[in-house]
């Protein structure tokens, strides 16, 4: 360590510590008389466990009540009692980041989940960050290959674009994320698994992501059994890691599954701190935290973060509050349709309900024309599908419908893709253009 760095490190060490004492524990909340802190600061609660001895439990300042500090712990409330000392750090949550983390699975605190020690030489970053200045964001002009035909061909995504994947449970969100992580041309994947069942974390890593995908990924996992604050911090930690690599000039792929569970965790925190429920039980802080989190991704003057956020919609209702809010913030949405999944079409992307808001700016005119042509054919068939299925439509009644009937199986076959069958963007676009030309010349 250089002398200047060593001096800076020594100077940063506090000359005194601030302490308080726990006075009350109610539900998920801890009230403490001191220490002097700000919202978002991390505090250490000193407890004595009969089994583990002295421990330090981390908690975050989430509010104030009269003259007391309201804390929420990152772990369980076990062993916390009245009179425990609370030490203020004066800083928000920080994690260690660096290229040495690639291939590792971390928890919300940035610690390896396999129990190993963090490698040396890592940098320290705060999980709370600010979005890039709107005036310093370069426009998105370059497409990014994700290796999924339906996306590269019909819903082209650019470097730095933010896209939502909307679906009910069991329609293939995690599988689609795994395909994108393995096949994308981004420099690095950062994957946040928030609120997942414990069983699904390892299954995603071994089955959906695979060894090849893990070699170029950093995973942050916060399972559903963990406290609400840990689930929220999982999303912020993953975003901070992605931001670090963006500052290094990389094109980062951030995948977050799912935003809905982050919102549910924030609702738990909000209700516990006394917020009134608003839309469908979600507290106002939920709708404040979503843009704060989602706007941190995208481009800046050094690199880009292309983000895919999954949204779990209740009862396949695409207009429920969280889905509606997220859709309004992001630069496009991909809708996974349960009816298509039931018919065996995977990935079950409904291209008629999906849109990439930047495709017209980053794709060639020939590509856009071909995608528009196939979308029109597919829409015509969908609009008349009921009449066709019951035999009420007679061939020859409409040239447009006849053409749509002829090309529907070809379009459906184009949209299908095997889970382990990567397709390059060039192949996807060429196949799309050839299919559209055939439809136009038939």
């Amino acid at each position: 360590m250089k002398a200047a760095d060593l001096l800076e490190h020594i100077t940063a060490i506090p000359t005194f510590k601030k302490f308080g004492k726990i006075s009350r524990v109610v539900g998920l909340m801890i009230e403490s008389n001191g220490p002097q802190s700000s919202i978002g600061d991390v505090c250490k609660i000193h407890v004595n466990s009969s089994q583990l001895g002295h421990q330090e439990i981390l908690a975050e300042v989430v509010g104030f009540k009269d003259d007391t500090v309201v804390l929420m712990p990152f772990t369980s409330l076990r062993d916390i009692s009245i009179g425990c000392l609370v030490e203020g750090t004066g800083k928000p949550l920080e994690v260690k980041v660096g290229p040495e983390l690639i291939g590792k699975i971390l928890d919300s605190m940035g610690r390896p989940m396999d129990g190993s020690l963090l490698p040396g030489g890592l940098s320290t970053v705060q999980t709370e960050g600010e979005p890039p200045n709107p005036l310093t964001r370069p426009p998105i002009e370059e497409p990014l290959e994700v290796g999924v035909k339906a996306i590269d061909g019909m819903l082209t995504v650019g470097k730095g674009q933010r896209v939502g994947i909307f679906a009910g449970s069991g329609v293939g969100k995690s599988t689609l994320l795994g395909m994108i992580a393995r096949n994308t041309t981004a420099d690095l994947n950062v994957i946040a698994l928030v609120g997942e069942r414990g069983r699904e974390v390892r299954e995603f890593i071994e089955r959906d992501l695979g060894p090849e995908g893990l070699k170029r990924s950093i995973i942050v996992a916060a399972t559903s059994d963990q406290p609400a604050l840990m689930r929220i911090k999982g999303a912020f930690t993953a975003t901070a890691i992605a931001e670090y690599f963006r500052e290094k000039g990389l094109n980062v792929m951030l995948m977050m599954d799912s935003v809905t569970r982050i919102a549910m965790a924030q609702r738990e925190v909000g209700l516990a701190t006394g917020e009134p429920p608003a839309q469908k039980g979600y507290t106002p802080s939920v709708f404040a935290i979503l843009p704060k989190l989602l706007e941190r991704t995208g481009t800046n003057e050094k690199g880009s973060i292309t983000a895919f956020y999954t949204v779990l919609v209740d009862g396949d209702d695409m207009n429920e509050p969280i889905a509606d809010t997220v859709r309004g913030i992001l630069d496009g949405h991909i809708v996974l349709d349960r009816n298509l999944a039931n018919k065996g079409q995977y990935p079950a992307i409904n291209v008629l309900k999906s849109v990439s808001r930047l495709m017209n700016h980053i794709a060639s005119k020939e590509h856009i024309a071909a995608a528009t042509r196939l979308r029109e054919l597919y829409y015509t068939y969908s609009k008349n599908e009921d009449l066709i299925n019951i035999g009420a439509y007679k061939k020859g009644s409409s040239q447009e419908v006849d053409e749509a009937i002829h090309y529907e199986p070809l379009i459906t076959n184009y949209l299908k893709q095997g889970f382990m069958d990567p397709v390059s963007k060039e192949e996807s676009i060429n196949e799309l253009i050839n299919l559209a030309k055939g439809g136009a010349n038939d």
Side-chain angles (χ1 to χ4, degrees), residues 7-27:
L7 180 62
E8 183 180 352
H9 183 72
I10 294 173
T11 305
I13 298 175
T15 54
F16 66 94
K17 295 182 178 181
K18 301 175 182 178
F19 287 94
K21 280 190 177 183
I22 291 177
S23 59
R24 192 175 180 218
V25 178
V26 180

Side-chain angles (χ1 to χ4, degrees), residues 148 150-151 155 164-177 180 310-311 313 316-318 333-341 345-351 353-354:
V148 179
I151 299 177
L155 303 163
I165 300 176
F166 295 76
S169 57
V171 188
K173 298 186 299 301
S174 297
T175 302
L176 180 58
L177 289 182
I180 294 172
T310 70
V311 180
V313 291
D316 296 326
D317 177 14
M318 299 297 168
H333 54 271
I334 296 171
V335 177
L336 302 186
D337 195 317
R338 191 177 300 277
N339 291 328
L340 296 179
Q345 178 177 322
Y346 285 98
I349 298 174
N350 188 325
V351 294
K353 294 182 179 180
S354 307

Side-chain angles (χ1 to χ4, degrees), residues 3 12 104 110 128 194 267 273 308 373 435 442:
K104 292 189 176 294
E128 299 279 347
V194 180
R267 177 174 61 183
T273 54
F308 283 88
R373 170 67 177 162
L435 183 58
D442 187 66

Side-chain angles (χ1 to χ4, degrees), residues 255-317:
M255 286 173 278
M256 195 169 291
D257 186 14
S258 71
V259 173
T260 306
R261 294 190 177 108
I262 298 168
M264 293 170 68
Q266 181 61 38
R267 177 174 61 183
E268 286 184 43
V269 175
L271 292 173
T273 54
E275 280 190 78
Q279 298 184 53
K280 287 196 174 181
Y282 288 103
T283 58
S285 62
V286 173
F287 302 99
I289 198 176
L290 288 177
K292 182 179 177 182
L293 175 66
L294 303 182
E295 285 288 352
R296 288 171 61 181
T297 54
T299 59
N300 70 0
E301 61 273 15
K302 296 180 181 178
S304 68
I305 301 175
T306 307
F308 283 88
Y309 299 97
T310 70
V311 180
L312 181 64
V313 291
D314 293 333
D316 296 326
D317 177 14

